[in-house]
Amino acid sequence: MQNKVNPGLTELDELCIQTIRFLSMDGVQKAKSGHPGMPMGMAPATYVLWTKYLRYNPANPKWLGRDRFVLSAGHGSMLLYSLLYLTGYDLSLDDLKNFRQWKSKTPGHPEFGHTPGVEATTGPLGQGISNAVGMAIAQKYLAAYFNRDNSNIFDYNIYVVASDGDLQEGVSSEACSLAGHLGLDRLIVIYDDNHISIDGNTSLSFTEDRAKRFEAYNWYVQVVGGDGNDMISFEKALKNAIAEKTRPSIINLRTHIGYGSPNFQDTHKAHGAPLGEDEVKLIKKNFGWDPEKTFQVPEKVLESMRKAKIKGAELEKQWNEKFQSYTKKYSELSKLITDAQAGRFGVDIEKLLPKFGPEPMATRQASGKTLDALMPSLPLVLGGSADLTPSNNTRFKDVEDFQKDKPTGRYIRYGVREHAMAAIMNGIAAGGLLRPYGGTFFCFSDYMRPAIRMAAMSGYRTIFVFTHDSIGLGEDGPTHQPIEHTAALRTIPNLLIIRPADANETAYAWKFALEYKAGPVALLLTRQSIPTLDRSKYPPASNIEKGAYILVKQEKPDIIIMATGSEVPIALEGAEKLAAENIKAQVVNMPSWELFEAQDKTYRDSVLPPNVKARVAIEAGVELGWSKYLGDKGVFLGIKGFGVSAPYKVCYEKFGLTPDAVADAAKKSIQDK
Ligand SMILES: Cc1ncc(C[n+]2csc(CCOP(=O)(O)OP(=O)(O)O)c2C)c(N)n1
Ligand SMILES: [Mg+2]
C-alpha cells in the first residue's frame, strides 16, 4: 500500500503530492505521449520546495525579487505545469488537459516566453542547468551592483531540478566547473538521482561518483538517500544548501522513477511513454483514489496550494516597499533597473559610437574599440570570451574581471568552454535586465550551436561575438577556418547575423545588436585588416540596419555584385575593373540577410532590381543559400572544400577570391543571362 504519510509530511501534504503525480500521469495519458516517470519520483521534493521555500508570486511571474526555478530535465514538463497550475499561475486545468496540443500553453517541453512561470526553455538536456549558472552569475552581479545598505533588492536563489541526462551532457560539466570556480552560492541543484535513463539503468553508462565529481568542482554536495519521500532529510539538506555562503550546492536525491507504479517503477518504461490506462487506474486505486476519475484536484489541495498566491502577493508587496524606499535613496540606480526592464539603456548609443578611418582595420579590432567607447556607459552589459580574449578583442578598457571576490566585475572569463559560455549567456539574458556578449573563433560556433539554437527559439537577447570569420585568418589552417559556418548559422530561425564590411559598420552593428529586442545576434568579424570605406564616397555605415544596401549605384546596371564582410572591398575593386571596360556593376553590401529580408519589397527590389539577372556573389564560404539572390544566371565565388594553412593573402588568391575573379565571373554571368 502506497498510501502512507512520509517523514516530514502531513496527510494533506501527501494528498497534494499525489495530486501532482496524478495530474502528470493523466496529462501524459490523455496526450498519449510524454514523460510521467520523473514527475512521479520528484513530486515530493518539488512540492516541498514550491510550498515552503521558493519565493514567487503566481500573479506576477516576472517579479524581479523572485527565486528562479529551472526544470532542467524538461521532459518532466507535466511536473512543472502541475505546480504552476496548483499554485495559481495563469494556467488552467484545461491547459493541463491540453498538454502537448497545438499551440497550447503546455507544450511537450517548457518554453520560455510561452508559459507563465517558465524561466528557461528546457528539454535538450544540459541546457537548463547551464542557463541556471548564468542566472546565478546575473544574481551575483545585480546584487553587487545594485544592493545598498540592507536593501537587498536582488536577493534570490536559483533552484534547478536536473536529471541523469543533464549531468551526463558535457555542457553541464563545463558550466558547473565554472560555477564552482565562481562560488555561485545562490545556485541550488536538486539532482533527480533515479538510476534510470532511456536505455535502462544508469549502470549501463554512468557510473562515476557524481558526488566526488561535484566536490572536485568545489560544490557543496549532499547526498540524500531513501526513496525520494523522506522530506525530513531532504529539507535538512535544502536548508543547509540555502545557508551555504561560498559554494553552489547540489543535493543528490535518491528517487524512484515512476514512483508508485506497480509494474513500471524503477524501469525505463516509466520514462517517456504513457503508463497505460490500466496501470494509471491501478496506481490511483493503490493510493486510495477513484481509479475512474482523471484530472482530479481535491478541493483542499487547491485551497492549500493556492495559498502560494497570498504568500506571493505579500512577498512582492514587501519587496515593492523595499524598492520604493530604495528608489527614494538611489533614484539613478532605480531608474537603471526600470529602464533595463523596459529594454532601454538610458543613453544614446549612437552618440557614443567611434568614427573610424581612413586607415584599414580588422573588424574585430573595430569591435574592441567600439566596446571601449560604449561599455563604460552600459553597466548592465556583461562581456566575456572563451579564453580568446586577446584574439576576440572582447575585453574593453579598464574593465575588471567577474570573479568570486569581484562580483562587480563585468568581464567573464569563461575558460575554454564555448558551449557553456553560450548557455550561460542565455541564462544571463533570460532574466531580462542584463545583456551578455561573449567571444570565440567563428569556427567554434559549432561547439555552441545547441545553445545558439535555444537562444533563437526562446528570444534570449544574447550577443555572440565570432571573430576570425573566414580563411582570412590564414595560417591556423583548415581546422580554424570557418567555411560552412555562416550558412549553417543562417539556417537557424530568429538568429540575426551581421557580417560588417568595415570598421564603421562594426560600430553600427554593435549599436544594432545591443538595441535589438527580438532575439540573439551573431557578429561575424575578421581577424585580418580590411579597408575602412571612405564614407564620403559611399552611403553611411548606419545603412547596416537595412541588412543590405547599395554601395555603388547604377541607373541601369549590367550586373549586380553582392558581397558580405571582408569580401565587400574585393567586390568594389572588381566593379572598378569592370567600369574600366564600361560594364556597369551595382555593388551591394549584404551584412545581414535576415534584416534585408525584413525590409519591404520596394526596398528589396531597389537594391536587387529583379530585371537584372546577371549577378555575382562573393563570400568566403560555401554557396548554400545564395541561389535565392543569384537566380539561374548568377555566379558564386566562394569555397567548396576546407581551407588551407597559409598566409591569408595567399588563401584568397588561391581560392580565387580576387577582384579579377569578380570581374571574370561578372562577364560570364552577363554572357549567360
Ligand atoms: C541533448 C539531449 N539528448 C537526448 C535527449 C533525449 N532524452 C530525453 S530524456 C533522456 C534521458 C533520460 O534520462 P534522465 O535524464 O535520467 O531522465 P529520467 O528518465 O530519469 O527522467 C534522453 C536521452 C534530450 N532530451 N536531450
Ligand atoms: Mg534518470
Side-chain angles (χ1 to χ4, degrees), residues 35 37-38 73 75 109 123-126 163-166 168-169 192 194 196-198 202 257 271:
H35 303 77
M38 182 273 201
H75 57 273
H109 296 84
L125 291 162
S163 65
D164 296 303
D166 280 308
Q168 282 171 303
E169 286 294 350
D192 179 23
N194 64 14
I196 294 290
S197 69
I198 290 181
T202 45
I257 194 165
H271 162 83

Side-chain angles (χ1 to χ4, degrees), residues 83-237:
L83 288 163
L84 290 172
Y85 160 67
L86 290 169
T87 53
Y89 280 80
D90 183 16
L91 206 65
S92 67
L93 196 57
D94 278 340
D95 291 322
L96 299 193
K97 291 177 185 169
N98 272 328
F99 180 48
R100 294 186 157 230
Q101 302 313 304
W102 178 256
K103 296 206 169 164
S104 73
K105 269 173 154 174
T106 48
H109 296 84
E111 295 176 21
F112 178 83
H114 184 86
T115 312
V118 170
E119 301 278 5
T121 303
T122 53
L125 291 162
Q127 294 295 328
I129 185 171
S130 308
N131 296 155
V133 172
M135 292 176 189
I137 288 175
Q139 187 282 330
K140 274 264 170 285
Y141 180 77
L142 291 170
Y145 191 83
F146 287 107
N147 286 358
R148 291 287 185 282
D149 320 320
N150 290 320
S151 67
N152 291 343
I153 298 302
F154 295 103
D155 180 30
Y156 56 83
N157 296 328
I158 298 93
Y159 296 93
V160 180
V161 166
S163 65
D164 296 303
D166 280 308
L167 264 52
Q168 282 171 303
E169 286 294 350
V171 65
S172 68
S173 302
E174 295 178 18
C176 293
S177 157
L178 185 62
H181 166 78
L182 292 172
L184 303 175
D185 58 295
R186 294 308 189 97
L187 178 62
I188 298 172
V189 174
I190 303 163
Y191 164 38
D192 179 23
D193 186 9
N194 64 14
H195 296 203
I196 294 290
S197 69
I198 290 181
D199 272 15
N201 196 285
T202 45
S203 63
L204 291 171
S205 61
F206 193 38
T207 49
E208 83 230 14
D209 187 327
R210 271 85 91 184
K212 281 195 187 141
R213 177 177 141 199
F214 275 79
E215 262 160 29
Y217 291 157
N218 199 28
W219 282 53
Y220 175 38
V221 181
Q222 299 176 85
V223 178
V224 177
D227 62 358
N229 287 296
D230 171 5
M231 290 299 109
I232 292 181
S233 305
F234 173 69
E235 276 193 66
K236 204 168 138 220

Side-chain angles (χ1 to χ4, degrees), residues 354-359 361 363 366 498-509 530-546 548-552 563-566 568-569 572 587-591:
K355 303 266 183 296
F356 296 104
E359 68 281 358
M361 189 183 280
T363 50
I498 309 180
R499 188 168 188 243
D502 77 346
N504 287 307
E505 284 190 7
T506 306
Y508 272 95
I530 57 173
T532 301
L533 300 182
D534 176 0
R535 296 288 164 174
S536 66
K537 226 167 113 189
Y538 300 113
S542 55
N543 275 293
I544 202 166
E545 65 187 41
K546 293 182 187 150
Y549 66 101
I550 300 171
L551 285 176
V552 178
T564 70
S566 47
V568 169
L572 286 168
V587 181
V588 174
N589 176 9
M590 301 191 78

Side-chain angles (χ1 to χ4, degrees), residues 242-447:
I242 293 168
E244 167 65 29
K245 289 288 170 264
T246 60
R247 296 167 293 176
S249 278
I250 186 165
I251 300 170
N252 293 12
L253 179 65
R254 175 66 171 115
T255 62
H256 293 273
I257 194 165
Y259 180 81
S261 165
N263 291 302
F264 301 125
Q265 178 179 320
D266 292 318
T267 77
H268 64 130
K269 289 187 185 141
H271 162 83
L275 300 168
E277 275 183 27
D278 291 347
E279 186 74 4
V280 169
K281 282 181 188 170
L282 190 59
I283 301 166
K284 286 182 184 164
K285 203 164 138 248
N286 284 349
F287 277 99
W289 284 48
D290 183 344
E292 299 307 322
K293 290 191 175 154
T294 58
F295 295 99
Q296 283 298 289
V297 180
E299 197 59 40
K300 48 187 170 183
V301 165
L302 206 58
E303 193 189 299
S304 165
M305 288 190 72
R306 287 273 160 99
K307 285 188 186 136
K309 289 177 77 169
I310 302 160
K311 195 170 132 193
E314 181 55 34
L315 283 171
E316 185 177 351
K317 190 170 149 258
Q318 287 166 9
W319 187 89
N320 285 338
E321 282 162 9
K322 210 155 63 173
F323 191 61
Q324 267 162 19
S325 52
Y326 177 87
T327 303
K328 276 194 199 125
K329 246 171 131 176
Y330 307 106
S331 58
E332 277 180 31
L333 287 174
S334 169
K335 183 172 178 311
L336 199 56
I337 295 170
T338 39
D339 274 352
Q341 264 185 307
R344 292 187 301 262
F345 287 111
V347 288
D348 186 344
I349 291 183
E350 184 153 14
K351 281 206 180 120
L352 298 172
L353 292 181
K355 303 266 183 296
F356 296 104
E359 68 281 358
M361 189 183 280
T363 50
R364 62 169 170 148
Q365 206 188 341
S367 167
K369 288 183 187 299
T370 305
L371 291 173
D372 285 344
L374 296 182
M375 288 310 127
S377 307
L378 304 175
L380 300 188
V381 181
L382 303 187
S385 164
D387 200 45
L388 283 170
T389 295
S391 303
N392 298 145
N393 297 58
T394 34
R395 194 164 196 274
F396 51 98
K397 238 173 93 215
D398 300 332
V399 67
E400 288 181 307
D401 290 340
F402 178 88
Q403 289 292 354
K404 188 173 181 168
D405 55 2
K406 194 76 193 154
T408 48
R410 288 174 57 200
Y411 192 77
I412 301 167
R413 304 286 188 170
Y414 287 100
V416 194
R417 303 183 183 98
E418 295 84 4
H419 193 177
M421 174 171 75
I424 288 170
M425 289 199 293
N426 288 346
I428 295 172
L433 292 183
L434 297 172
R435 300 295 309 281
Y437 73 82
T440 184
F441 288 156
F442 187 28
C443 72
F444 302 133
S445 61
D446 284 344
Y447 278 53

Side-chain angles (χ1 to χ4, degrees), residues 576-587:
E576 277 172 28
K577 285 182 187 286
L578 290 167
E581 297 182 47
N582 266 331
I583 298 172
K584 293 190 285 287
Q586 175 146 310
V587 181

